[in-house]
Amino acid sequence: VDALVLRYLGAFGPASVADIQQWSGLTRLREVTERLPLRTFRGETGPVLYDLPDAPRPSADVPAPPRFLPAYDNLLLSHKDRTRLITGNRTVPLPPGNGATDGTFLVDGLWQGTWQLRDGKLHVRPFTKLGRAERDALLAEAARLCAFAARQACDVILDQQEAR
């Protein structure tokens, strides 16, 4: 169990005990986090957050680069309190049945929209209006995703009309 908690924090820390329990399905993990040599922080909403003592911690003014995530990505699913990643009371897109079709993307560490690759085109749908620098960084990351996923150049369609 100790190794499981450490691996979770290596991927998703800092996180609360409730976050670790949400992801693992295990209970009674507070005693594990208290005996491990972890660094603690106080979250904005009050809970104690745990992290690996040597985890990188960029300063708050360093923007996180845009990232495209697949459907059902653990980053959005592995926290009890998802408000550190998801703003505006949005729910994680978990369509029923087989075949989720939309991935999600992060801008500055927050979930800001969805994407879908179909017919040689990458459709990117932000929820919010993106600034020029954010848009340019997102489009650069989209080009890298096209090169990886389509194994060739593909058109990127940024649908800002759906931004709300």
Side-chain angles (χ1 to χ4, degrees), residues 93-116:
L94 297 173
N98 297 332
T101 58
D102 289 352
T104 58
F105 67 84
L106 307 176
V107 174
D108 200 20
L110 298 172
W111 178 34
Q112 296 295 326
T114 61
W115 65 272
Q116 187 179 75

Side-chain angles (χ1 to χ4, degrees), residues 29-141:
L29 295 180
R30 183 164 313 282
E31 60 195 47
V32 175
T33 58
E34 289 176 356
R35 79 169 167 257
L36 290 171
L38 300 173
R39 180 124 183 238
T40 59
F41 303 89
R42 182 65 63 180
E44 289 180 18
T45 58
V48 173
L49 302 176
Y50 297 89
D51 205 359
L52 301 176
D54 57 351
R57 289 181 190 81
S59 66
D61 62 343
V62 174
R67 291 293 183 245
F68 285 84
L69 307 175
Y72 299 111
D73 188 79
N74 262 327
L75 182 64
L76 296 180
L77 301 174
S78 296
H79 296 86
K80 182 74 172 173
D81 176 10
R82 296 176 178 151
T83 59
R84 290 185 293 139
L85 300 166
I86 302 173
T87 61
N89 294 321
R90 292 192 180 279
T91 58
V92 176
L94 297 173
N98 297 332
T101 58
D102 289 352
T104 58
F105 67 84
L106 307 176
V107 174
D108 200 20
L110 298 172
W111 178 34
Q112 296 295 326
T114 61
W115 65 272
Q116 187 179 75
L117 184 61
R118 66 176 187 276
D119 302 323
K121 295 181 173 86
L122 178 63
H123 297 266
V124 179
R125 293 174 304 277
F127 299 138
T128 60
K129 182 111 171 100
L130 301 173
R132 179 181 295 270
E134 292 172 326
R135 188 194 72 221
D136 291 349
L138 183 65
L139 290 174
E141 184 67 8

